[in-house]
Amino acid sequence: MSAAVAAAGARPARTSGSLPAIVGAELLKLRRRPATWVLLGLWPALQLVFSLLIPYISYTRGSSYEGSPPEVLLASTLPDRLVGNALSGLPLFGGALLLTLGALLAGSEYGWGTLKSLLAQGPRRTTVLAGQLLALVTVLAATVALSFALTAAVSAAIAGAESAPADWPGLAELARGFGGGLLVATTWGALGVLLGTALRGTALAIGLGLVWVLAVESLVVNVAAPLLGFFDALQRGLPGVNAGSLVAALAGGDVRTPGVVAVVDGGQAAWVLAAFLAAATALTALLLARRDLA
């Protein structure tokens, strides 16, 4: 009996770990990883190019862009369109970039073998996942805010250069836009985390994610849905379609960016995205809790 008690006393106690410490460590890893800066920098940059710079250059040259006359192009770049312009690329190319970031965040832990080493030090698996997701939400919130700030600065510069009115959206509209953008971004990131965890790596997870965002959903929406009623109903439950519908609702339907189409109303889109976010988080937690890491 005494030997058993001594052996139990010698066994290290498992602790739950400190969630703030894990969040800090995950944020540090994200900051030190060059891919984070590349992926999160590409989204606002592409956003500015396609939503503001190309329409404005077309306006200055007196040419049309995507069928819109020059005066309409100028109006689309002004501050009253801030919410739509700041979020216009998020459902499609922004979603692909953020899904890639989520897959890198989770999948690289398997390739490097760091997840097993971390869990051996005491934190519970669900605590580690919570820390990863909170860190991801933090950087995504900062990126959404940066997109709004950059778009506002460029829109103000265009309005000043053309002596056009600068009618800014109200605080309530900005808050809804930021919240909706963060919901879309977090959903794509969480789906990437799920793929990285399920496939225990980054390459296949990123490849499958990009094929889904850029090819599968596009084929369903643009090819199959107009022909078959089944696919027309199916598209209403896809993450990309609902992301585009939510951005279209937040922008008032004034965005012409690919992927931003009001297939469903904004309320339904928000609920569907929230369901995808909850399901991705739950499935990732289940995989992490039940599966052998060896």
Side-chain angles (χ1 to χ4, degrees):
M1 178 67 69
S2 60
V5 173
R11 189 180 299 118
R14 181 179 178 86
T15 61
S16 61
S18 170
L19 181 59
I22 294 174
V23 173
E26 293 297 331
L27 287 173
L28 178 62
K29 287 192 293 184
L30 285 170
R31 289 200 305 270
R32 295 288 183 87
R33 179 178 290 170
T36 301
W37 297 99
V38 173
L39 293 172
L40 294 182
L42 274 175
W43 165 33
L46 291 172
Q47 195 113 303
L48 287 177
V49 169
F50 288 102
S51 66
L52 294 180
L53 296 184
I54 291 180
Y56 180 64
I57 291 173
S58 299
Y59 160 76
T60 59
R61 293 180 175 180
S63 58
S64 62
Y65 174 64
E66 293 185 343
S68 298
E71 60 274 11
V72 174
L73 292 177
L74 176 62
S76 71
T77 65
L78 297 179
D80 63 318
R81 304 289 183 87
L82 172 59
V83 173
N85 288 330
L87 301 177
S88 60
L90 189 53
L92 190 59
F93 59 79
L97 294 172
L98 299 181
L99 189 146
T100 299
L101 178 63
L104 285 173
L105 175 66
S108 59
E109 301 287 355
Y110 293 91
W112 295 338
T114 51
L115 181 59
K116 187 187 301 184
S117 301
L118 174 61
L119 293 175
Q121 298 176 19
R124 297 185 183 277
R125 300 184 182 202
T126 52
T127 305
V128 172
L129 175 61
Q132 289 179 331
L133 292 177
L134 286 173
L136 181 62
V137 171
T138 300
V139 298
L140 293 181
T143 308
V144 173
L146 176 64
S147 179
F148 271 86
L150 291 177
T151 304
V154 176
S155 292
I158 292 174
E162 300 298 329
S163 299
D167 299 323
W168 296 97
L171 289 178
E173 184 179 352
L174 289 174
R176 286 194 299 270
F178 178 82
L182 184 58
L183 175 60
V184 174
T186 305
T187 301
W188 283 125
L191 290 172
V193 171
L194 173 60
L195 285 175
T197 302
L199 299 173
R200 303 191 191 196
T202 57
L204 183 57
I206 293 172
L208 288 178
L210 293 179
V211 167
W212 176 266
V213 175
L214 301 178
V216 174
E217 286 208 13
S218 178
L219 289 174
V220 171
V221 173
N222 298 316
V223 178
L227 299 176
L228 299 173
F230 169 77
F231 287 102
D232 182 49
L234 176 65
Q235 70 170 334
R236 300 174 185 273
L238 298 178
V241 170
N242 283 275
S245 297
L246 180 57
V247 171
L250 292 170
D254 294 327
V255 180
R256 300 176 306 278
T257 305
V260 182
V261 181
V263 177
V264 299
D265 63 80
Q268 176 181 332
W271 280 110
V272 172
L273 290 175
F276 269 106
L277 175 58
T281 302
L283 287 173
T284 304
L286 182 63
L287 287 172
L288 197 59
R290 297 291 184 88
R291 198 167 58 184
D292 184 11
L293 296 177

